[in-house]
Amino acid sequence: MGEPGGARETLTVEVWRGGEAGRFETYDVPQGANQTVLDVVTWIQRHAEPALAYRFACRVGVCGSCAMTVNGRPRWTCRTHVSRVARGRRLRIEPLRNLPRIKDLAVDMTPFFEKWQRAQGRFTPTRTRAEPMAVVRPESAPRRAADAGIECINCGVCHAACDVVGWDPDYLGPASLNRAWTLVNDVRDGDRHGVLKAASAGGGCHSCHTHGSCVEHCPVGINPTAGIAGLKRQSLLDLVGGGLP
Amino acid sequence: MTPVWLFLAQRLTALILAPLVIAHLAMILIVADGGLTAAEILDRTRGSVGWGLFYGTFVLAAAIHGPIGLRNVIQEHTPWRGRSLDAAMLVLGGLLVTLGGRAVVAVVGQP
């Protein structure tokens, strides 16, 4: 933090440059009050390295596009204050783990979203707009389970934090399985059995080791591990005939 | 066999193995401490339906549990996938049943 009345302090920031092959380059960035990691990256791009590639949109923790690895941990950079993560005024900023690097801090999110599709993480409607809206009781157990995971912003932080994603390229990962769990619990969905089948196929929920890294790192406080445990439970219940209605 | 069945089989065999392993280890310690000879041990186990069931169940559970777990480890840490991996794990399971079965027969069978 800057000292009151003193000269303006600077941060020493190492930033990954290049694609899969590359190197860290170091920049001195003026430190400011309430500065976020995204502010730091933006300062570098505007004042020191105009060719720096990175991704952001909303800057307020809604769009989920600015996730990067900061001092070794995946984080949403727009809501991560430098004062909370800098070690001795040093930052090391890299692209997210477990996804192909495109350039500098931008990764290719295609495998991430392809896994959402493999997990059938899409709503299957059962009504047309001409029909009345479905009545879903907010306090019902399935709705509460769905609500617990529904605020995912698709930032990819859990995907980057997950060791199993890093080991097994077939593993669907916490985000897509969390999405599948919300759909399995959405009584309006027209293919809950299909979602459960997709989420429990090879590389699905049964591959989870329950390490809990996704829970630890999720910036919006979702517990994907609990959802994955729910999918495992539900798949076993389905096997013995006591599953989804 | 679907991943759900494999998951279930591995958990169920783990439930079976846990008490059996503890009992097996406890027996090793007790026998070593008590100074029983091999002949004295075989006197107790030969012809015993109880010991036959104990170690027979142990071998079967281990033969199911081990290959499923090893298959997971191989899939996580190597590119090996598909039918050849499944076949190799079936062979491993068969080998464990054969070798373990031989040991059980040697311990509980009449000479």
Side-chain angles (χ1 to χ4, degrees), chain A residues 167-170 200-202 206-207 209 232 235-236 239, chain B residues 2-5 7-8 11 72-73 75-78 81:
Chain A
W167 297 333
D168 182 357
D170 293 338
S200 53
H206 300 101
S207 298
H209 283 232
K232 289 176 181 172
S235 69
L236 290 177
L239 205 63
Chain B
T2 65
V4 192
W5 276 110
F7 180 81
L8 181 63
R11 267 59 187 177
N72 290 342
V73 173
Q75 284 185 337
E76 279 169 7
H77 295 283
T78 77
R81 299 275 188 287

Side-chain angles (χ1 to χ4, degrees), chain A residues 96-176:
Chain A
L96 281 181
R97 276 175 73 224
N98 298 339
L99 289 164
R101 296 176 174 191
I102 299 174
K103 179 177 182 288
D104 303 338
L105 301 172
V107 291
D108 182 0
M109 299 292 283
T110 308
F112 177 75
F113 288 111
E114 280 176 350
K115 285 180 176 180
W116 277 57
Q117 292 304 315
R118 246 183 69 208
Q120 204 175 312
R122 54 186 178 275
F123 182 69
T124 304
T126 46
R127 298 182 183 211
T128 67
R129 66 180 60 204
E131 291 172 85
M133 283 174 66
V135 178
V136 181
R137 287 191 307 117
E139 70 278 12
S140 66
R143 191 60 236 169
R144 284 158 67 124
D147 283 345
I150 206 71
E151 297 293 344
C152 173
I153 58 171
N154 318 348
C155 63
V157 162
C158 60
H159 195 82
C162 177
D163 285 331
V164 185
V165 171
W167 297 333
D168 182 357
D170 293 338
Y171 179 47
L172 291 171
S176 60

